[in-house]
Amino acid sequence: MNEWMRFGRRLGITAMVWGMCTGCAVLGYHSVRIDTGMVNEGNCLLTVEGVTNLPSGFPLVVTLGENNNVLKRVNTKVTKGQYSTVLDVSDLEGNKRFDLDVYTEASLWTPEQRDWLGERGQRMVGRQVEEQGNGFRLAQHFIVVLPMGKREAAIRRIQNGDYAYGIAALDAIVEQNSDDTQAIAWLALALVHNNQSERHLHSRAYDLLHSFDVNTLPQNLREQCQSWLDRWDDEEAVERAKQERAEAIAKYRRDAKERQKAFVPGQHMADIFIGEEARRVFSTFPLDFPLDWQQEIVSFEIPERQVIVYFDPNTRKVVEIATVSPDIHHVSGLGVGSDFERVLELFPGGSMSWEDSTGRVSGANIDEVAEVLNGYYTHPKGVVFGVKREVLGLGLNIDTVTSISVIPK
């Protein structure tokens, strides 16, 4: 009895002991008993231990269940009249009744043990001996409750799949204590499991898990949270790539519109490029009639771009793009109608050739055009400027850009 009192002092959960039976064997029968105590360690580990008058080596089974459903089961053996085992109850809900049973029966015994207590355990006597099926067992039964506060109970309910309850309970707790990172993490996990919409980027669960460093969490909880953070990182990378692609396309389209009104020496004019294949040009600007590729140079006018494109008939690639439109400009603003002096400032080192003249007008006033010359200024960067020179009666020259051609460098 003193042995039981020692365990009773350590009892962490209310347990009912259904008595002991003492005595000696009478006519082949044996009085047996088992006395059990329990220690609850933080609602995580439940130590079940006790004393018995069964000989060493006898097997004992400890089960914890609910509504005839066994949730935990461990096997142990008697050693010098004592036994001890530990149940992991870290995943069980709190503040509810569980059935804890400690027992032994003939199906667990060795042949020698059955010889002593009977093939069906029929030689056992005592207040804890009960009939079970076609045999007998020595058993002790308890009601176990894991006492928990609202926070811990909510987390246990979430672990067991009751997400709605956990969300309702932890909402208020997190609102009152924004530094409770574990409660925040469990609330986020409950949200993603309870609602499909919470699994998307920038949901409430997303915001909760990004509100603190998950590396500060216990390992198991951290791993669960990190898996969602990794998933969202992947989704963000996809979204970012889509956004970057959309921005790149938008920029290309903006640039294309700008290029339609621009030229770059040796490269492109009106968004048509030197070296571009004729079929690509025609895919944007379909032909109204077939071109004669037997000519030395094949030209193709594109009115909507205000340019004429010249192709090499052998390679069928663009070798020149020309315009007489004042709407097409260099990045500097230079274009048809600009003063030729501006050309010389931006593109020095080119060569000038004059081709024809209208002839000298005799008797022209000092402010009247006495002569007109036409020529071309070719620059090695890949551009040719058509130039008109108007000679005034005073002898001054007015040189104006009349056309621009982009050619290969």
Side-chain angles (χ1 to χ4, degrees), residues 339-351:
D339 193 319
F340 183 59
E341 291 295 327
R342 182 66 172 152
V343 174
L344 295 177
E345 291 176 7
L346 295 171
F347 300 98
S351 59

Side-chain angles (χ1 to χ4, degrees), residues 32-52:
V32 292
R33 73 179 190 278
I34 183 171
D35 299 318
T36 299
M38 285 165 280
V39 177
N40 177 10
E41 300 179 35
N43 290 326
C44 293
L45 297 177
L46 184 64
T47 300
V48 181
E49 56 190 0
V51 295
T52 178

Side-chain angles (χ1 to χ4, degrees), residues 158 170 174 180-192 208-209 212 214 217 221-222 225:
I158 291 172
L170 289 184
V174 169
D180 190 344
T181 56
Q182 291 193 39
I184 293 172
W186 282 114
L187 175 57
L189 291 176
L191 287 168
V192 296
L208 286 171
L209 288 186
F212 65 97
V214 299
L217 297 173
L221 181 56
R222 179 177 70 248
C225 294

Side-chain angles (χ1 to χ4, degrees), residues 259-329:
R259 287 196 301 270
Q260 289 176 15
K261 296 297 182 181
F263 75 89
V264 174
Q267 296 183 33
H268 61 79
M269 175 183 285
D271 204 29
I272 299 169
F273 288 77
I274 295 295
E276 188 172 351
E277 294 183 354
R279 61 183 179 83
R280 291 194 61 186
V281 176
F282 300 146
S283 68
T284 305
F285 310 102
L287 288 167
D288 293 329
F289 52 85
L291 297 179
D292 182 4
W293 294 99
Q294 301 304 315
Q295 301 179 68
E296 184 177 350
I297 292 291
V298 179
S299 64
F300 176 55
E301 185 176 0
I302 305 177
E304 55 264 51
R305 295 288 173 86
Q306 302 181 42
V307 295
I308 298 176
V309 179
Y310 296 90
F311 299 101
D312 182 329
N314 296 318
T315 63
R316 298 197 178 188
K317 292 183 179 181
V318 176
V319 292
E320 181 181 353
I321 312 125
T323 187
V324 294
S325 171
D327 295 332
I328 298 177
H329 295 86

Side-chain angles (χ1 to χ4, degrees), residues 342-362:
R342 182 66 172 152
V343 174
L344 295 177
E345 291 176 7
L346 295 171
F347 300 98
S351 59
M352 185 73 206
S353 61
W354 297 102
E355 294 190 347
D356 55 54
S357 171
T358 60
R360 185 73 182 179
V361 177
S362 59

Side-chain angles (χ1 to χ4, degrees), residues 6 77 96 116 119 125 220 259 265 271 342 357 403:
R6 182 175 67 84
K77 288 184 178 182
K96 63 188 300 184
W116 186 56
E119 287 294 322
V125 294
N220 181 52
R259 287 196 301 270
D271 204 29
R342 182 66 172 152
S357 171
S403 67

Side-chain angles (χ1 to χ4, degrees), residues 344-402:
L344 295 177
E345 291 176 7
L346 295 171
F347 300 98
S351 59
M352 185 73 206
S353 61
W354 297 102
E355 294 190 347
D356 55 54
S357 171
T358 60
R360 185 73 182 179
V361 177
S362 59
N365 295 326
I366 60 174
D367 57 350
E368 292 179 337
V369 177
E371 185 177 9
V372 176
L373 300 173
N374 293 289
Y376 294 93
Y377 179 76
T378 303
H379 196 275
K381 285 188 175 181
V383 63
V384 177
F385 295 95
V387 182
K388 179 177 71 173
R389 168 171 288 180
E390 296 176 313
V391 182
L392 301 182
L394 186 62
L396 297 176
N397 297 332
I398 300 176
D399 297 333
T400 306
V401 175
T402 57

Side-chain angles (χ1 to χ4, degrees), residues 4 35 66 101 117 122 124 163 191 228 280 342-343 345:
W4 166 240
D35 299 318
E66 180 183 18
D101 301 315
L117 292 179
Q122 70 272 17
M124 293 189 298
Y163 305 120
L191 287 168
W228 284 100
R280 291 194 61 186
R342 182 66 172 152
V343 174
E345 291 176 7

